[in-house]
Amino acid sequence: MTRPTFQGMWAGAVTIVLALTVLTYAPATAATQNRNGTLNANDSKMDVVTINGTTDTCGNQGTFDVRFEVIPWTAPVGGTTEFRLTSTPNSIASFYIYDGPFNPAQGTKNCLAADNSVDTPANEKTVTITARDEKTYRIVVFDDSGAQNGASYQLAIEIPGGKATDPQKGPGKKFLALPGSFSCGDLKAKVTWRARANRVRSAVIRANRRIVARVGDRKIRPFRTSVVRNLPGSTNRMSATLRLKGGGKAEVRRFYTRC
């Protein structure tokens, strides 16, 4: 027997959404935040809001009750942000994103985006928005099935971060190249020594004001890459102070969007 479900209402749009999703994946250096939960009999109910699978937007609020959970989320930095929802069993959880307060009795109000169709081979339902810096959104995950037997879900939020906002500056850039981006996922970066690196005796590398690496002469070679680990999660500036073999110092610095 086939169980009734809302998630197949716009199945014809899946191919179009999948194509758009492939083009809008965030770069691998973005930060990913994860939220997990379970929809069950303890959760509140709301009248379901229909979803346009072509535009990933909310439609009208109906009369069928669905169980839901609310996840408040504050964007750490503005920019393109992708939400990816998976659930078991049978991918029956779907979600809405609200730009500000959420009232289940007025489910269409503030509804910014939504998705109820699987968009990727990983059975993800995806929505991409342009988030505002430090703005609080509410993600409402709901049981998108007729039976309302519940589901376990995982929500991955991929946000921009670790991207250089300007070219590197300072005389030290002749010797050392700071990265164009760094990984917000594992908070490490790669710096590359330039052709003149043989003139450098040692280096102290900082993320914000914290010293994250000290590099001695033996590890400094032209075109060699050094991995800098344990960057602060709030890193928005990297710098390196270089001691030169002929005497004196040189500094290079660069600014980034924070994770």
Side-chain angles (χ1 to χ4, degrees), residues 227-256:
V227 178
V228 179
R229 305 178 189 277
N230 300 319
L231 302 177
S234 60
T235 296
N236 63 1
R237 183 180 190 270
M238 290 184 66
S239 63
T241 302
L242 314 176
R243 289 187 177 273
L244 306 180
K245 292 180 178 178
K249 297 180 182 179
E251 185 179 76
V252 56
R253 59 192 179 277
R254 199 168 197 179
F255 289 89
Y256 301 85

Side-chain angles (χ1 to χ4, degrees), residues 58 69 134 163 173:
C58 288
E69 291 187 351
E134 299 185 354
K163 308 295 188 297
K173 67 181 181 181

Side-chain angles (χ1 to χ4, degrees), residues 50-142:
T50 60
I51 296 173
N52 185 319
T54 302
T55 60
D56 283 350
T57 55
C58 288
N60 298 317
Q61 189 159 17
T63 58
F64 186 87
D65 285 342
V66 293
R67 301 188 187 280
F68 70 92
E69 291 187 351
V70 182
I71 304 171
W73 176 76
T74 301
V77 64
T80 301
T81 304
E82 185 178 62
F83 299 80
R84 303 194 302 269
L85 178 72
T86 56
S87 62
T88 55
N90 303 322
S91 302
I92 63 173
S94 297
F95 70 113
Y96 312 113
I97 299 177
Y98 288 85
D99 185 1
F102 163 69
N103 181 351
Q106 297 178 312
T108 62
K109 186 177 181 180
N110 299 327
C111 189
L112 180 65
D115 194 22
N116 66 344
S117 56
V118 171
D119 299 328
T120 74
N123 293 322
E124 297 167 319
K125 299 180 181 182
T126 66
V127 165
T128 300
I129 69 170
T130 301
R132 284 176 282 169
D133 193 18
E134 299 185 354
K135 168 72 176 181
T136 297
Y137 299 85
R138 286 162 181 82
I139 300 97
V140 176
V141 181
F142 68 96

